[in-house]
Amino acid sequence: MIYAYFRVSTDKQDYTCQKFGVLEFAKNKGWNIDKEIIDDGISGTILAKNRKLRQILKYSKKGDIVITSELSRFGRNTKDIINTCDLLTEKGVECWFVKQNMGLDNSPMGKMLIGIFACFSQLERDLIAQRTKEALAKRKVEGMVLGRPKGRKSSHYKWTGKEEKIKALLNKNLTKKEITKKLKISFPTLKKFIDNYL
């Protein structure tokens, strides 16, 4: 079994770039992907065992292969990445990381490489986080207001784009339950719309 694993941190990202790289890598190796596992909108701070990645950890067997775009996709920090790789390689599962162009197994060399690359991945994330904090602190010192201004509400609601449909259905005397089901919105959302606009 050959697995492809993808993870993106926010729901505003997609895994298209990761997928392209992984599929190209597999093609060059002459491999066909049997199963894709996607952690969509999952932060790198979430432990591997609490992601869909756990499916690979649980069901993979000796001789299986896991391909992902880079080492940092596998864990929240160096320890988590090493633990994930250890769990897989001890089962006899090969792990391949496209950006590093590196494959790992349970050999002493493989374990050493896991540690080295995981440390670099962690260092990179720490540096990015530090630069972000410094940039925000600088903006604060310069008097820039961070975040949404107080009292300002979002202009986008769950009913946005459905206003006329809601009114039409209400005019047809459909029940609130029927409307929420038809438009796939919650009862509180519908009630809030009615309270504010009707």
Side-chain angles (χ1 to χ4, degrees), residues 119-160:
C119 285
F120 279 114
S121 294
Q122 180 66 40
L123 175 62
E124 183 180 19
R125 285 197 300 275
D126 289 345
L127 289 172
I128 291 169
Q130 184 61 37
R131 285 195 295 269
T132 302
K133 286 179 184 176
E134 288 171 356
L136 290 173
K138 182 174 181 285
R139 290 182 180 183
K140 197 171 182 180
V141 168
E142 291 171 348
M144 185 177 290
V145 178
L146 303 177
R148 182 187 292 170
K150 284 185 179 180
R152 183 176 175 181
K153 296 181 179 178
S154 172
S155 60
H156 185 84
Y157 300 95
K158 290 182 181 177
W159 66 69
T160 301

Side-chain angles (χ1 to χ4, degrees), residues 9-197:
S9 299
T10 73
D11 55 11
K12 292 181 181 179
Q13 298 174 325
D14 67 55
Y15 61 95
T16 306
C17 290
Q18 291 180 38
K19 186 170 183 176
F20 177 78
V22 167
L23 291 179
E24 277 294 301
F25 181 86
K27 183 181 175 183
N28 291 335
K29 289 279 188 182
W31 296 338
N32 291 315
I33 304 296
D34 298 304
K35 188 166 186 178
E36 293 182 2
I37 303 292
I38 305 160
D39 273 318
D40 197 1
I42 301 296
S43 167
T45 61
I46 305 298
L47 289 170
K49 66 180 181 180
N50 297 325
R51 308 180 195 169
K52 289 183 182 176
L53 177 59
R54 66 182 177 274
Q55 294 176 30
I56 300 176
L57 296 172
K58 185 175 181 179
Y59 297 113
S60 59
K61 301 184 294 293
K62 185 175 181 179
D64 287 350
I65 295 170
V66 182
I67 310 171
T68 191
S69 63
E70 57 184 305
L71 201 60
S72 64
R73 301 295 96 188
F74 260 17
R76 61 171 292 185
N77 53 35
T78 302
K79 183 179 178 183
D80 193 31
I81 292 169
I82 291 173
N83 285 343
T84 301
C85 291
D86 276 346
L87 285 169
L88 290 169
T89 55
E90 282 173 11
K91 291 176 74 174
V93 177
E94 284 185 43
C95 304
W96 286 87
F97 307 97
V98 175
K99 287 188 180 179
Q100 284 88 15
N101 192 26
M102 175 182 71
L104 299 176
D105 53 26
N106 198 32
S107 67
M109 179 62 73
K111 289 185 174 183
M112 182 185 77
L113 288 172
I114 290 171
I116 292 171
F117 281 98
C119 285
F120 279 114
S121 294
Q122 180 66 40
L123 175 62
E124 183 180 19
R125 285 197 300 275
D126 289 345
L127 289 172
I128 291 169
Q130 184 61 37
R131 285 195 295 269
T132 302
K133 286 179 184 176
E134 288 171 356
L136 290 173
K138 182 174 181 285
R139 290 182 180 183
K140 197 171 182 180
V141 168
E142 291 171 348
M144 185 177 290
V145 178
L146 303 177
R148 182 187 292 170
K150 284 185 179 180
R152 183 176 175 181
K153 296 181 179 178
S154 172
S155 60
H156 185 84
Y157 300 95
K158 290 182 181 177
W159 66 69
T160 301
K162 300 178 181 178
E163 295 91 340
E164 295 308 315
K165 288 181 182 177
I166 294 172
K167 290 175 186 176
L169 293 173
L170 286 169
N171 289 333
K172 288 181 181 178
N173 295 319
L174 267 71
T175 65
K176 293 183 177 70
K177 186 176 181 180
E178 288 171 327
I179 294 171
T180 57
K181 190 174 181 181
K182 198 172 186 69
L183 298 181
K184 296 180 180 176
I185 58 175
S186 67
F187 184 82
T189 296
L190 177 60
K191 187 176 184 305
K192 192 171 183 181
F193 174 79
I194 293 169
D195 291 345
N196 284 300
Y197 294 94

